[in-house]
Structures are given as structure tokens and as C-alpha cells.
Amino acid sequence: MIKKQAGFTLVEIAIVLVIIGLLLGGVLKGREIINNAKVINIENSFTGISSAIYSYQDRYRALPGDDHDDKTENRWGVDGGNNDGDIGGEFNSKSSGESQYFWLHLRNAKLVAGAASDKIQPTNSFGGLMGASSTVDSAKIKISGVHVGFDKVPGKIVAIVETRSDDSNPKTGGIQATDSDGNAASSYEENKDYTVYFEL
């Protein structure tokens, strides 16, 4: 007697394929939700820093970081800038200067969280620094005036932010970027990190 070979019916195969399709769809949707949350985090950080700058200007009639040394010394006993209307030093500078005093002044004014003695730039959700400055390499970035910067932002995130808020071109508009080598970015590659500058 010949034994019948057991196998899957077409209905069973169809059910398995539908389940696999649902699982894949859920994974892809989950990634999209995570990416959107990261985009919103960068956008919210920019909005929060911008609001803190405007609040400080309204209250003290100076830019945080650039606020005159005499005034900040009298007000809080901390170092200040030269009150020339610019925040000196790159936003991610590790040396003491106006771009670090920026955080010192905002923390003392209770406009951002942190210890009143802390002038170190906070990190963004990707582990890079974030801050504000008026200093840029004009050969690479065409933003003038005060800007807010973010280090180590993945290309796929920057591309979404650009599309939502600017002109999608990393060399023009209110959002511009440099690549990890410090060169002006010509496009956003998904697996590369960028330093992003948001014009205030």
C-alpha cells in the first residue's frame, strides 16, 4: 500500500503567508514610528532652545552666552561674553567661550534644566552635542546670524527634517549640514552622520 505524503494545503500556505506579511508590515511600521519620534525630538529640541534664547533676550536684553561679563558676574557670579551681538565659538566647541557660556547663562536664568555652574553643552538623542552660535565656516555653511546646531544626526533623520521644515537641499535654506569630514553636504546618505545647523 502506498503511503500518502503529508503536506500543507493551499489554504494553510496562504494563512502562513498572510501572517508573515502582517509581521513584516508591523516591523516596518514600527521603524517608521521610531524614526518619526526621533525627528520630532530634534524639532522639539530646536524649538525649546529657540524659545529659551528669545526669553533670555526679552528678559535681559542680550543673547545668552554673549551677555556682558560685568552683568552676568553681578547677576549670578559667572563669566559672560563681550555683548557684541554674536555668540562666539562653534556651537560644539569644547573650549571655554561664549558658546559654552550660552548654556551657563540659560541654566542660571532657569530657562533650561541643569546645574547653575554647568556650562557643558547637552547631548541630543543621537549622542552628539547641541548648542547655539553665530560662528560658522562660511565656505561650507551659508547661514548668517545665530543658529542652533546638532552633532551626529543620521542622514535619514536629517532628510526627513529637511523635507518637513525646509527646502530638502543641505546647502541652502534655513537648515544646512556638513558631513562627518566637515565638508558641506551635497545630499543626505542614510548611513552617514551629519552636523546640522538650524537658522534662528
Side-chain angles (χ1 to χ4, degrees):
M1 183 173 185
I2 300 174
K3 282 187 178 179
K4 261 189 166 181
Q5 283 189 331
F8 294 109
T9 66
L10 287 176
V11 172
E12 291 170 330
I13 292 171
I15 290 170
V16 169
L17 289 175
V18 167
I19 291 170
I20 291 171
L22 290 171
L23 289 173
L24 285 174
V27 167
L28 293 175
K29 190 66 177 170
R31 283 187 185 160
E32 183 183 335
I33 290 168
I34 290 168
N35 283 341
N36 282 338
K38 289 177 178 178
V39 167
I40 289 167
N41 185 290
I42 289 289
E43 291 173 337
N44 287 345
S45 294
F46 169 66
T47 302
I49 294 170
S50 301
S51 297
I53 292 170
Y54 293 132
S55 295
Y56 190 97
Q57 281 184 302
D58 187 51
R59 189 182 299 175
Y60 301 112
R61 301 292 182 239
L63 283 167
D66 183 52
D67 199 354
H68 201 278
D69 191 46
D70 291 343
K71 292 182 180 177
T72 59
E73 186 67 43
N74 288 334
R75 202 179 291 134
W76 302 303
V78 300
D79 292 329
N82 58 13
N83 200 32
D84 66 354
D86 288 325
I87 301 172
E90 295 282 344
F91 79 88
N92 53 3
S93 173
K94 301 243 185 334
S95 60
S96 187
E98 289 186 348
S99 61
Q100 285 196 335
Y101 297 156
F102 172 83
W103 291 106
L104 187 65
H105 296 172
L106 289 181
R107 288 173 179 136
N108 275 279
K110 308 277 191 261
L111 294 170
V112 297
S117 60
D118 187 7
K119 63 182 177 182
I120 303 301
Q121 300 96 327
T123 55
N124 60 48
S125 56
F126 305 103
L129 297 177
M130 57 184 181
S133 174
S134 304
T135 304
V136 292
D137 183 342
S138 59
K140 299 171 184 173
I141 298 296
K142 306 298 182 200
I143 286 177
S144 60
V146 178
H147 62 270
V148 176
F150 297 86
D151 264 348
K152 299 182 183 175
V153 183
K156 62 184 173 186
I157 302 300
V158 187
I160 296 170
V161 171
E162 270 270 14
T163 302
R164 286 167 53 132
S165 305
D166 201 36
D167 61 359
S168 299
N169 185 340
K171 290 185 174 181
T172 61
I175 300 174
Q176 297 179 32
T178 56
D179 61 23
S180 54
D181 297 322
N183 301 314
S186 54
S187 63
Y188 296 119
E189 294 181 39
E190 189 168 314
N191 298 319
K192 282 191 175 180
D193 288 343
Y194 295 87
T195 299
V196 189
Y197 302 84
F198 291 73
E199 192 169 43
L200 203 59

